[in-house]
Amino acid sequence: MSGNSEYLRCRVISTAHLSAEDNALLDEITTREVGNGEWVHYIGGGYLLRLTACTAPVLRLKEAGLSKEARRVIASLMRSDAVEILIFESGAPEAEGFTTYSW
C-alpha cells in the first residue's frame, strides 16, 4: 500500500432527518444518469452523499427541491464536523438539534 492514502470525514445519521418528500426526491436523483446522480447514491436503507464531489452541494440540493430542514442538517454537519461524506441510513442515530420525521 502506498504512503499516499487519502481519508475522508464521514458521518452517518438517521433517515428520520428526511421528510417523505426528501426521500422521494433523493430516490429520483439517484436514478438520473447525470447531474446530482453522480454524487448522491442510494445504498439500500438510505443515501450516501459525496459532498466534496461537486461544488456547492447544498445549493444544488436546494435547486433540486430538497427541504430547508434537510439542507440545514447537511450544511451544519459540513461546517461543524468538516463532513465530506454524509450517509442517511435508516438504522443510524439521530443527530441532536435537528428536525425529524416519522413516515
Side-chain angles (χ1 to χ4, degrees):
M1 179 177 222
S2 163
N4 295 329
S5 298
E6 182 176 337
Y7 298 92
L8 299 174
R9 293 184 59 88
C10 178
R11 178 93 185 256
V12 182
I13 63 171
S14 175
T15 52
H17 293 291
L18 301 172
S19 68
E21 293 80 12
D22 292 331
N23 183 67
L25 176 70
L26 290 176
D27 188 55
E28 178 188 325
I29 288 171
T30 63
T31 60
R32 296 179 191 163
E33 294 192 22
V34 294
N36 292 331
E38 298 170 353
W39 58 278
V40 177
H41 306 277
Y42 178 68
I43 56 167
Y47 302 92
L48 182 147
L49 282 64
R50 296 182 314 125
L51 300 168
T52 56
C54 69
T55 30
V58 177
L59 179 60
R60 289 181 69 183
L61 290 169
K62 178 181 181 178
E63 291 169 350
L66 196 70
S67 72
K68 184 176 183 176
E69 289 301 318
R71 294 190 323 267
R72 188 171 81 84
V73 172
I74 296 166
S76 294
L77 294 176
M78 287 177 69
R79 187 174 45 254
S80 67
D81 296 353
V83 169
E84 298 166 294
I85 295 176
L86 181 59
I87 299 172
F88 287 99
E89 189 174 275
S90 60
E94 295 174 2
E96 290 288 322
F98 298 104
T99 301
T100 58
Y101 305 88
S102 53
W103 40 274

